[in-house]
Amino acid sequence: MAKKILIISTSLRRRSNSEALADAFLAGAKAAGNIVEKITLQQKNLSFCKGCLACQKRKTCVIQDDAGAIVEKMRQADIIAFATPIYYYEMSGQMKTLLDRANPLYSSDYAFRDIYMLTAAAEDEAHVPKRAISGLQGWIDCFEKATLAGTVFAGGVNDAGAMDGHPALEKAYAMGMTIQ
């Protein structure tokens, strides 16, 4: 049976390298017969969490911006894939802001089980995405039915569009293809 997959591209840069990974993952997941939607945070208005915890009672955030609709799509997805550039060895700030704003999911009947992370960075060492993955794992740990199902890292890419021919694109595609 086809899975409902939500891919969230968190880079604000046009032709970003992490978004290229998201597109490759999307192509693989679609080729495997899944229902796939990609959201990009470009042009989205996301405010910081106020920490009021009203969302735990209301099941929605009190802040009226684009986060509410994205969080609802997250709640309904079977699988979520986050694509982020690595900034200072960590996930992008806009990704962290979205994760914070996803607090209404904590007490909800969320559908997602598998979470994927696609990362790109100028640095090429294997340890580069470690802290970003750890940060996402901290979020996942709050959802007892969810697990980190896989990661792809593209190192050595800095300029927009630098992903052309990068082997991580094939890995992202193949990872998407495994979802059935």
Side-chain angles (χ1 to χ4, degrees), residues 88-164:
Y88 299 102
Y89 299 94
E90 196 33 287
M91 71 181 77
S92 68
Q94 48 276 13
M95 179 170 162
K96 177 63 170 112
T97 296
L98 179 62
L99 293 178
D100 290 347
R101 292 293 304 286
N103 201 42
L105 294 173
Y106 180 72
S107 60
S108 76
D109 186 22
Y110 58 90
F112 57 86
R113 299 297 181 263
D114 293 339
I115 308 293
Y116 293 86
M117 187 172 207
L118 313 165
T119 59
E123 295 84 7
D124 200 16
E125 295 82 18
H127 71 277
V128 170
K130 185 177 178 179
R131 289 185 215 153
I133 293 167
S134 178
L136 179 60
Q137 185 65 60
W139 182 82
I140 294 168
D141 288 347
C142 295
F143 298 92
E144 63 185 36
K145 297 181 277 186
T147 61
L148 181 61
T151 65
V152 174
F153 170 61
V157 292
N158 191 32
D159 297 332
M163 286 295 295
D164 293 346

Side-chain angles (χ1 to χ4, degrees), residues 4 22 53 79 118 146 169 179:
K4 188 175 180 181
L53 298 179
I79 295 169
L118 313 165
L169 291 173
I179 301 170

Side-chain angles (χ1 to χ4, degrees), residues 48 60 62 73 76 84 95 109 126 146 170 172:
F48 295 118
T60 61
V62 297
K73 288 178 183 280
Q76 295 176 14
T84 184
M95 179 170 162
D109 186 22
E170 290 180 24

